Amino acid sequence: MNITIIGAGNVGGTLGRRWAHNGHQVTFGVRDPHSPKVQEVLRTAGANARATSVREAATAAECILLATPWTAVQDAIQSAGNLADKIVIDCTNPLAPGLRGLALGHTTSGGEQVARWAAGARVVKAFNMTGAKNMANPVYGAQQVTMCICGDDAEAKTTVGGLAAELGFEIIDTGSLTTARYPEPLAMLWIHLAYVQGLGPDFAFKVMRRP
Ligand SMILES: NC(=O)c1ccc[n+]([C@@H]2O[C@H](COP(=O)([O-])OP(=O)(O)OC[C@H]3O[C@@H](n4cnc5c(N)ncnc54)[C@H](OP(=O)(O)O)[C@@H]3O)[C@@H](O)[C@H]2O)c1
């Protein structure tokens, strides 16, 4: 699949590298394709990855992962241009400054706000509720880290669920995009436990079922 990733940081770089290693054609849409950080991501991602401008990367894409800080998401979407009908994966969390919680929630979510900004896109919330280190390796012994996904387009969710499952996640579909209101606070809990309470990034949330 042709996957565009807007942002080549912790999450974009990690997921892009893994999908490129799995044989997908990965294009990073970035502000400076020649920056040392982007060049290092490309070097480790291998022959299936390239970098170009956000607009060019988005235009050619079937599926776009938005992987910028929340404060840059609207700008990144505007830079991408027309996203109608494209699958847009929203892994962002609408963080308030200073790890002090979420900037929005309860009656809306970052995922729903992304859908308003990216008019006509088939938005799927995914990859937001755990850390980048768990995206590099979501397998703990015999257990797979749980990844909730949600969205209003069934086909888009199947595609994104497949992209998450091939990396080793257990997928739980929580329903419509409005249910992004639930995993976003869960992401905040993960961040709080990891970086305020000192658990560090080597833990993850798992749905357990009674046999
Ligand atoms: N880190 C995690 O473990 C984690 C886990 C789950 C979800 N998330 C969410 O994922 C998102 C990305 O997090 P991250 O840790 O990967 O961030 P990061 O390492 O800081 O990387 C952010 C990337 O976004 C790019 N960017 C910034 N502003 C941009 C703009 N206006 N247009 C285009 N690109 C822009 C940056 O490029 P430049 O080099 O040009 O600045 C950089 O490549 C955040 O919303 C975060 O809440 C993070």
Side-chain angles (χ1 to χ4, degrees), residues 55-204:
R55 176 63 64 100
E56 189 182 316
T59 303
E62 302 167 57
C63 182
I64 300 172
L65 172 73
L66 281 175
T68 71
W70 176 249
T71 48
V73 170
Q74 186 175 14
D75 178 65
I77 289 171
Q78 273 168 3
S79 302
N82 183 7
L83 297 177
D85 294 328
K86 292 184 189 289
I87 298 173
V88 171
I89 309 172
D90 172 30
C91 74
T92 70
N93 284 304
L95 301 181
L99 299 187
R100 283 188 292 103
L102 297 173
L104 54 84
H106 295 293
T107 56
T108 189
S109 61
E112 291 162 271
Q113 182 59 61
V114 163
R116 285 190 282 274
W117 285 329
R122 299 186 284 159
V123 176
V124 178
K125 187 92 202 179
F127 301 110
N128 72 300
M129 58 177 264
T130 200
K133 202 169 172 191
N134 287 323
M135 300 180 201
N137 180 9
V139 179
Y140 283 63
Q143 309 230 74
Q144 294 175 284
V145 172
T146 299
M147 181 55 66
C148 293
I149 69 169
C150 65
D152 295 332
D153 185 289
E155 189 186 69
K157 274 196 292 194
T158 301
T159 300
V160 176
L163 288 171
E166 75 173 59
L167 301 181
F169 285 103
E170 173 202 43
I171 312 306
I172 303 261
D173 180 350
T174 62
S176 69
L177 192 60
T178 57
T179 63
R181 297 169 195 184
Y182 312 139
E184 289 176 6
L186 197 57
M188 194 65 238
L189 176 63
W190 190 92
I191 292 165
H192 177 79
L193 291 174
Y195 300 117
V196 180
Q197 293 297 99
L199 253 62
D202 286 303
F203 77 98

